[in-house]
Amino acid sequence: MGRDGQPAEGQLPKYQQIIAYIKEKIANGEWPIGSKIPSQRTLASQFKVNRSTIITAIEELTADGLIEGQMGKGTVVVNNTWTLLATNPPPDWNAYVTSGVHKPSQDTVQKINQDEFDASLIQLSKGELSPEIFPLVTMQRLMHKVTDELHAFGYEEPKGYGPLRQAVSDYVRSFGIEASPSSILIVSGALQALQLISVGLLHRGSTVLLEKPSYLYSLHVFQSAGMKLTSLEMDAQGLLPGGIPALRKQGKADILYTNPCFHNPTGILMSQKRRQELMHACEAERLPVIEDDLYRELWFDEPPPAPLKAMDRHGHVLYLGSLSKTLSPGLRIGWIVGPEPVIERLADIKMQTDYGTSSLSQRVAAEWLTSGEYQKHVAYIREQLRIRKAAMLEALELHASDLAEWESPAGGFFIWLRLKEKVHIHELFSKALRQGVLLNPGSIYGQDRDRYLRLSYAYASLPELRQGIRVLADILKNMAR
């Protein structure tokens, strides 16, 4: 679109330019649900086309369920890309809360969750920064500053603390996302974001497309809300979008979840070309996208490509960010960036759920982002993770080069280990645990059983990383005999 609101000159036929223009107005919340769009005569004059061209565009938008003609009102916005996914009538929140449908974690996942708090174990499972590199002094100083300036405070407005939303708006602009504070919702971590989306925008029976393997297979956030998961294959460049049109046509694709930066668990970084291909496929199929970008800042040699959201011109993408992986999961601060009507709906659901994220945490997070300390801290974290990754790779090369294969990740927390020989993965997990090492089997991520492990170099100390890999290699050698 041109800055005057007119479509930019391009290859698209006029009626498609008009469709794109109207969709953008709806997605951006400029024409919210219930609003009357300009008359056919006005649009024809604005775009310098015959009314028949306007009618063609309106008929397609009506067929998509975005607008409809209403007696005495003209043509009215009745939906947008996201509300088309919502239940009608709205979800029965009380039934959701009280029916006990929330599925329990797998036994292995429950065991890992418990043992991650056992300080006696070498934590090669934990997707969390080591206490050794926690910025305690800076955190204390910024918290003192916040408390020294603190006045009485209560509940925040539904979307979150205003200065924090402005700080997030400024922050995401640094990597290409234009989002006003009104299109940002502060949440208590990315997991809450997924929970809000699952109960607020998707209906039971919806199908979520996602990478295979995926972190979401270790959770039941979507399945507990009555949804199905369908896998899309990956290669070294990231998720392969070729299967999307067929799945969409078969009614087996309602939304796509992707983790394009330093993917959990594989560590893969989606290339710029693949991001463009994915966005093209999702826009062509009108498939909404959840972009989970929690690891974006944890690159080693060069920043990753711009987010999918930075390429989003039609409100297709909900973007998730967080401070949990870069600063502290204890703050419980994350955010969703999306079209205003969607953010308003999710904010309403969040208020029904917890009445807002901690006011104090939000103020501390705002101070980190606005003071310049966050940028300095993240640069330090990148260097520390680079050292830890090198230590783990050195230990793997020394002890396990004949036992497994792996790639050196370009960022993030994880090395995805493919065992050269199949083993009984639960037996391996149990033996390692008895010898003081906690691992994450690849099976909890939906990957083929008995072949993969996710190893984290983020949490354990350098001596523990080396010891853990040695123990793992010895167990694998003994199991192979």
Side-chain angles (χ1 to χ4, degrees):
M1 293 295 160
R3 292 193 177 275
D4 59 356
Q6 296 288 345
E9 292 296 326
Q11 301 300 315
L12 287 176
K14 275 287 188 179
Y15 85 95
Q16 290 186 0
Q17 292 182 24
I18 295 162
I19 288 170
Y21 170 76
I22 293 174
K23 281 185 174 180
E24 184 171 358
K25 289 289 188 183
I26 294 171
N28 290 342
E30 293 179 60
W31 294 356
I33 294 172
S35 62
K36 178 181 174 182
I37 74 170
S39 68
Q40 294 177 14
R41 188 182 305 278
T42 300
L43 288 170
S45 174
Q46 181 177 347
F47 287 92
K48 299 179 176 59
V49 295
N50 295 326
R51 286 181 64 187
S52 61
T53 303
I54 301 298
I55 290 170
T56 300
I58 286 175
E59 286 177 346
E60 182 163 329
L61 290 163
T62 301
D64 287 345
L66 293 170
I67 60 176
E68 70 177 18
Q70 295 184 356
M71 187 69 69
K73 291 186 177 180
T75 303
V76 176
V77 178
V78 293
N79 269 312
N80 59 38
T81 306
W82 290 95
T83 57
L84 284 172
L85 294 169
T87 54
N88 186 18
D92 180 353
W93 306 121
N94 188 58
Y96 179 82
V97 170
T98 61
S99 62
V101 298
H102 204 285
K103 297 180 183 294
S105 300
Q106 301 174 32
D107 291 344
T108 302
V109 175
Q110 289 186 9
K111 179 64 174 168
I112 291 168
N113 289 341
Q114 294 165 4
D115 289 339
E116 281 186 343
F117 292 94
D118 186 341
S120 68
L121 296 175
I122 295 175
Q123 299 284 347
L124 300 188
S125 67
K126 210 160 185 172
E128 181 182 336
L129 290 172
S130 170
E132 294 178 347
I133 52 179
F134 179 75
L136 180 60
V137 173
T138 306
M139 181 68 82
Q140 289 174 331
R141 176 165 54 80
L142 295 184
M143 291 189 78
H144 280 309
K145 184 175 188 296
V146 168
T147 54
D148 285 346
E149 298 173 357
L150 199 62
H151 301 287
F153 60 90
Y155 297 120
E156 301 296 343
E157 56 183 296
K159 293 181 184 178
Y161 180 50
L164 176 55
R165 287 187 289 117
Q166 180 62 61
V168 171
S169 173
D170 296 338
Y171 170 62
V172 299
R173 186 178 297 114
S174 70
F175 40 82
I177 297 175
E178 294 293 335
S180 65
S182 60
S183 63
I184 294 169
L185 172 65
I186 303 301
V187 291
S188 300
L191 179 56
Q192 185 183 52
L194 295 176
Q195 291 168 334
L196 293 173
I197 291 166
S198 67
V199 300
L201 299 177
L202 304 174
H203 57 75
R204 291 181 180 274
S206 293
T207 300
V208 181
L209 302 184
L210 69 167
E211 295 109 339
K212 182 179 180 180
S214 173
Y215 171 66
L216 281 194
Y217 281 107
S218 69
L219 306 172
H220 278 134
V221 60
F222 286 122
Q223 298 100 313
S224 292
M227 276 150 262
K228 296 169 284 190
L229 303 182
T230 294
S231 298
L232 292 168
E233 296 297 327
M234 302 178 72
D235 65 12
Q237 304 302 311
L239 183 150
L240 291 162
I244 290 174
L247 289 169
R248 191 69 160 155
K249 187 175 182 180
Q250 296 165 17
K252 296 179 180 178
D254 296 295
I255 195 167
L256 171 75
Y257 168 89
T258 183
N259 171 202
C261 279
F262 317 121
H263 174 259
N264 183 3
T266 68
I268 289 172
L269 173 63
M270 188 183 293
S271 67
Q272 174 67 26
K273 183 173 183 291
R274 184 61 53 80
R275 291 170 192 245
Q276 291 168 341
E277 293 168 350
L278 180 59
M279 281 300 295
H280 177 75
C282 291
E283 288 177 349
E285 297 298 328
R286 295 190 291 277
L287 179 68
V289 178
I290 302 170
E291 181 181 11
D292 186 339
D293 211 21
L294 270 62
Y295 299 94
R296 158 163 292 277
E297 291 279 31
L298 302 178
W299 49 270
F300 295 140
D301 296 321
E302 58 182 2
L308 300 175
K309 185 64 180 173
M311 295 183 268
D312 181 23
R313 296 295 175 263
H314 304 289
H316 275 83
V317 179
L318 281 184
Y319 180 85
L320 311 186
S322 171
L323 298 182
S324 294
K325 303 303 180 185
T326 52
L327 184 57
S328 170
L331 277 178
R332 307 309 306 135
I333 293 293
W335 48 83
I336 308 175
V337 180
E340 285 188 33
V342 180
I343 294 301
E344 286 165 4
R345 176 169 173 80
L346 296 178
D348 175 55
I349 298 164
K350 179 169 168 57
M351 291 297 281
Q352 295 180 50
T353 304
D354 65 6
Y355 236 76
T357 298
S358 161
S359 294
L360 186 57
S361 288
Q362 291 191 69
R363 283 164 167 77
V364 172
E367 190 63 34
W368 270 99
L369 289 173
T370 57
S371 65
E373 293 292 349
Y374 181 69
Q375 290 74 11
K376 289 190 289 186
H377 167 72
V378 168
Y380 168 73
I381 291 299
R382 284 196 285 265
E383 182 57 35
Q384 293 301 308
L385 288 175
R386 188 182 291 110
I387 293 169
R388 289 163 174 274
K389 181 193 77 165
M392 179 172 277
L393 289 175
E394 181 182 358
L396 283 169
E397 192 63 41
L398 180 63
H399 299 293
S401 59
D402 57 338
L403 302 169
E405 300 169 331
W406 59 87
E407 298 291 334
S408 176
F413 286 176
F414 309 117
I415 292 174
W416 187 234
L417 207 67
R418 183 184 184 276
L419 304 179
K420 291 184 178 180
E421 300 292 336
K422 286 188 175 183
V423 300
H424 191 291
I425 209 74
H426 184 71
E427 182 184 354
L428 172 62
F429 172 80
S430 298
K431 285 186 173 182
L433 193 58
R434 286 196 294 271
Q435 294 190 42
V437 179
L438 185 60
L439 307 167
N440 275 19
S443 55
I444 69 175
Y445 304 108
Q447 187 53 277
D448 300 333
R449 298 183 63 84
D450 304 332
R451 185 73 83 168
Y452 291 88
L453 296 171
R454 190 200 78 175
L455 303 179
S456 169
Y457 46 80
Y459 191 85
S461 67
L462 293 177
E464 286 176 334
L465 289 177
R466 298 184 180 101
Q467 171 70 2
I469 296 301
R470 188 188 63 76
V471 169
L472 170 62
D474 288 345
I475 293 171
L476 286 170
K477 289 172 184 174
N478 288 331
M479 289 179 72
R481 289 172 183 165

